[in-house]
């Protein structure tokens, strides 16, 4: 795991446990992150820093720079009604049955021969300028090291296969790299790296949160549920179902490292369906409130340990 240097001292001496929120990837399902953050803010749960992957990086960046979950909600609802959303191409790639793989989405909506020819001649289905337009609309201008709440987005180095944690640099560019869906937009060149979506190597950034010094990690899982009634009538469907099985097991291993896991019930929503934002925000709020007793218990226990340790030292 590569960490880009920072001027912000994230391991400074502390007298209380540090609480991090790890926001995972999942496309439009990441709107549920907004509801979770709204509840944490309303209930005065302290957030010392945020790690974010893909859509988690987008939501996390707006929260980190504005300090307001309501501001994220307003911005996303504006986005769905905007010309930028219509031009983004996101609304063109919906399917009746869930498929996390973008190539799988295309393969079932176009003739296979066309897909193969396209895959051989282009690195993506739409240009990178569409992604940057979305970032420019959603994310305020600024730098990562200057956010109100410390924020660390994660992207994936497509050459080395490593996750890359950013702690300084241009906010929009780095979040764009973290949300660079392979096959949908081309890999993102930044700081000498060739980067793709952070969820490729780090679908839920729990381990980066630990690496950055978190004592309590609240993980928000908006990953897709495994389809328990899949179509397995051809090679492509079998391949995508098995790939999804691998990805889901990896997610569960990562979530085992978190203290509290919040799982909004949005797993059957397609990654492109941002128009269901209101439903997903409400589901995020519901699941966060359900997790509050467990979260408060863990914070209380770890705070007690830290006070005892601090007093001894």
């Amino acid at each position: 795991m590569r960490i880009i240097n920072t001027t912000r001292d994230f391991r400074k001496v502390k007298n209380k446990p540090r609480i991090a929120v790890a926001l995972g990837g999942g496309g439009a399902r990441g709107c549920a992150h907004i509801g979770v953050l709204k509840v944490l803010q309303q209930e005065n749960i302290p957030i010392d820093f945020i790690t974010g992957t893909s859509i988690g990086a987008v939501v996390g960046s707006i929260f980190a720079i504005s300090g307001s979950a309501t501001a994220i909600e307003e911005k996303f609802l504006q986005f769905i009604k905007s010309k930028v959303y219509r031009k983004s191409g996101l609304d063109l790639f919906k399917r009746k049955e869930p498929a996390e793989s973008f190539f799988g989405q295309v393969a079932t909506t176009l003739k296979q021969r066309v897909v193969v020819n396209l895959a051989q001649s282009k690195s993506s289905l739409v240009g990178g300028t569409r992604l940057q337009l979305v970032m420019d609309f959603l994310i305020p201008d600024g730098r990562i090291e200057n956010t109100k709440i410390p924020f660390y987005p994660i992207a994936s180095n497509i050459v080395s296969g490593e996750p890359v944690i950013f702690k300084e640099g241009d906010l929009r560019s780095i979040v764009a790299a973290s949300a660079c869906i392979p096959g949908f937009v081309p890999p993102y060149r930044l700081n000498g790296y060739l980067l793709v979506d952070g969820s490729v190597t780090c679908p839920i950034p729990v381990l980066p949160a630990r690496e950055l010094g978190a004592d309590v990690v609240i993980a928000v899982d908006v990953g897709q549920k495994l389809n328990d009634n899949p179509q397995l009538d051809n090679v492509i469907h079998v391949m995508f179902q098995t790939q999804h099985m691998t990805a889901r097991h990896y997610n569960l291993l990562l979530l085992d490292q978190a203290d509290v896991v919040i799982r909004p019930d949005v797993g059957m929503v397609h990654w492109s369906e941002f128009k269901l934002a209101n439903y997903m925000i409400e589901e995020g709020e519901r699941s966060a409130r359900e997790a509050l007793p467990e979260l408060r218990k863990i914070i209380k226990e770890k705070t007690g340990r830290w006070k005892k340790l601090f007093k001894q030292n």
Side-chain angles (χ1 to χ4, degrees):
M1 187 177 297
R2 185 175 297 275
I3 304 177
I4 305 302
N5 291 332
T6 180
T7 55
R8 183 180 262 162
D9 182 7
F10 60 92
R11 288 189 181 275
K12 62 184 179 181
V13 176
K14 54 190 183 296
N15 60 4
K16 67 179 184 66
R18 303 188 75 220
I19 300 172
V21 177
L23 304 177
R29 295 188 299 276
C31 293
H33 290 321
I34 302 171
V36 172
L37 291 172
K38 283 176 70 176
V39 170
L40 296 180
Q41 194 165 45
Q42 289 165 2
E43 297 297 322
N44 296 315
I45 302 296
I47 299 174
D48 292 292
F49 66 91
I50 300 165
T51 55
T53 287
S54 194
I55 188 65
V58 176
V59 172
S61 68
I62 305 171
F63 186 69
I65 203 167
S66 68
S68 168
T70 303
I72 316 172
E73 182 177 22
E74 292 172 353
K75 180 60 72 173
F76 265 78
L77 295 179
Q78 289 171 8
F79 169 64
I80 294 165
K81 297 176 182 178
S82 71
K83 293 181 180 178
V84 173
Y85 174 76
R86 292 194 292 274
K87 291 179 179 179
S88 69
L90 289 168
D91 206 32
L92 301 176
F93 299 101
K94 290 185 289 188
R95 58 177 289 180
K96 293 181 180 179
E97 61 176 293
E100 204 67 1
S101 165
F102 183 77
F103 187 79
Q105 166 69 44
V106 179
T108 54
T109 53
L110 301 176
K111 290 184 179 179
Q112 293 180 21
R113 185 173 61 183
V114 175
V115 174
V116 171
N117 290 338
L118 180 63
Q120 290 176 338
S121 61
K122 296 183 68 175
S123 63
S124 64
L125 292 178
V126 301
T129 54
R130 296 198 191 195
L131 175 64
Q132 199 60 55
L133 285 172
V134 173
M135 295 299 106
D136 292 346
F137 184 94
L138 288 173
I139 301 172
D141 188 26
R143 294 184 62 82
I144 288 177
E145 61 268 33
N146 296 332
T147 54
K148 292 180 181 179
I149 301 170
F151 167 62
Y152 309 108
I154 295 91
S156 299
N157 186 332
I158 196 172
V159 177
S160 70
E162 290 181 304
V164 180
I165 305 172
F166 287 91
K167 297 188 296 297
E168 61 182 10
D170 179 71
L171 194 65
R172 286 173 175 166
S173 297
I174 293 171
V175 173
S178 180
C180 190
I181 303 171
F184 183 48
V185 291
Y188 202 101
R189 293 187 181 275
L190 183 67
N191 294 357
Y193 296 103
L194 190 61
L195 302 168
V196 294
D197 198 294
S199 62
V200 174
T201 56
C202 190
I204 303 171
V206 176
L207 297 183
R210 293 291 188 202
E211 183 71 18
L212 292 163
D215 304 297
V216 177
V217 178
I218 306 167
V220 186
D221 176 20
V222 294
Q224 191 174 44
K225 291 181 179 179
L226 189 66
N227 187 358
D228 58 4
N229 187 29
Q231 288 186 8
L232 300 174
D233 53 355
N234 61 53
V235 173
I236 290 176
H237 288 150
V238 171
M239 289 174 63
F240 291 140
Q241 177 73 359
T242 52
Q243 182 270 338
H244 190 188
M245 289 165 60
T246 301
R248 195 61 194 154
H249 279 287
Y250 180 45
N251 283 6
L252 294 174
L253 288 173
L254 294 176
L255 291 169
D256 280 343
Q257 307 300 314
D259 295 282
V260 177
V261 179
I262 299 176
R263 290 187 173 92
D265 188 15
V266 295
M268 297 308 288
V269 176
H270 189 267
W271 66 266
S272 69
E273 293 184 291
F274 281 90
K275 289 186 177 180
L276 296 178
N278 283 320
Y279 158 72
M280 290 181 284
I281 292 169
E282 290 174 4
E283 181 55 30
E285 292 184 58
R286 184 204 62 76
S287 59
R289 293 204 175 278
E290 192 175 82
L292 280 175
E294 180 189 5
L295 176 56
R296 287 198 173 103
K297 179 182 177 182
I298 289 172
I299 292 174
K300 184 178 180 180
E301 288 175 353
K302 295 212 173 186
T303 300
R305 291 176 198 167
W306 270 104
K307 284 182 177 178
K308 184 177 180 180
L309 181 63
F310 190 74
K311 185 177 181 180
Q312 291 173 346
N313 292 335

